[in-house]
Amino acid sequence: MKKATAIFLLFLYLFGSTDACQILRLPLLVKHYEKHKCENADLTLAAFLKMHYIDEQPFDSDYLQDMQLPFKSPDVLCISLPTLVPVPVTLYVPLLELPKESYIVMNDCTPLHSFPGNIFQPPKA
């Protein structure tokens, strides 16, 4: 079942968004070749293809039939555009390491009892 679904989706894609649907016009090519072959018995398949695909097309009585041949006129059924998903942006911010500075501390040996316990004290007489 999966294989049949995959084949169906492949054909749906090929005939829907590419020019592979032109292959379905091959019976028109065969009928048109047979018509020209009845008119001219010496006409080969290579000469027929050259006349319809390489040489310039004159606007004659079977011009509309010539334009119905495969790969003569484009059928734009679907335009596929690729979608680009942007890559997530990551910012790299280097960490700046500040230089270590050493400070000199004065009066490092002052005893703690020399500091008053409370700054707000009543005046002394």
Side-chain angles (χ1 to χ4, degrees):
M1 184 66 184
K2 287 183 181 181
K3 188 176 182 180
T5 305
I7 291 172
F8 173 74
L9 291 175
L10 176 67
F11 277 108
L12 185 70
Y13 169 73
L14 285 177
F15 288 112
S17 62
T18 65
D19 277 341
C21 63
Q22 296 283 336
I23 295 172
L24 299 175
R25 292 185 181 181
L26 282 177
L28 294 173
L29 181 74
V30 172
K31 284 182 182 180
H32 198 67
Y33 174 66
E34 289 173 353
K35 179 184 168 195
H36 279 280
K37 187 75 169 171
C38 289
E39 293 173 1
N40 182 4
D42 296 332
L43 184 69
T44 63
L45 180 63
F48 171 78
L49 292 176
K50 180 181 177 295
M51 177 174 44
H52 284 86
Y53 287 99
I54 296 175
D55 297 341
E56 286 194 32
Q57 291 296 306
F59 193 77
D60 54 359
S61 61
D62 68 342
Y63 179 78
L64 293 177
Q65 290 177 351
D66 291 345
M67 290 299 119
Q68 294 294 324
L69 296 177
F71 302 106
K72 286 293 283 188
S73 59
D75 290 335
V76 179
L77 300 175
C78 176
I79 297 174
S80 301
L81 296 175
T83 305
L84 300 176
V85 179
V87 178
V89 177
T90 56
L91 296 177
Y92 174 72
V93 180
L95 295 175
L96 297 175
E97 192 171 317
L98 297 174
K100 294 183 179 180
E101 296 180 12
S102 59
Y103 298 99
I104 300 173
V105 179
M106 302 300 242
N107 291 332
D108 197 23
C109 302
T110 308
L112 292 175
H113 64 81
S114 65
F115 293 112
N118 192 356
I119 296 175
F120 302 105
Q121 294 180 2
K124 296 181 182 177

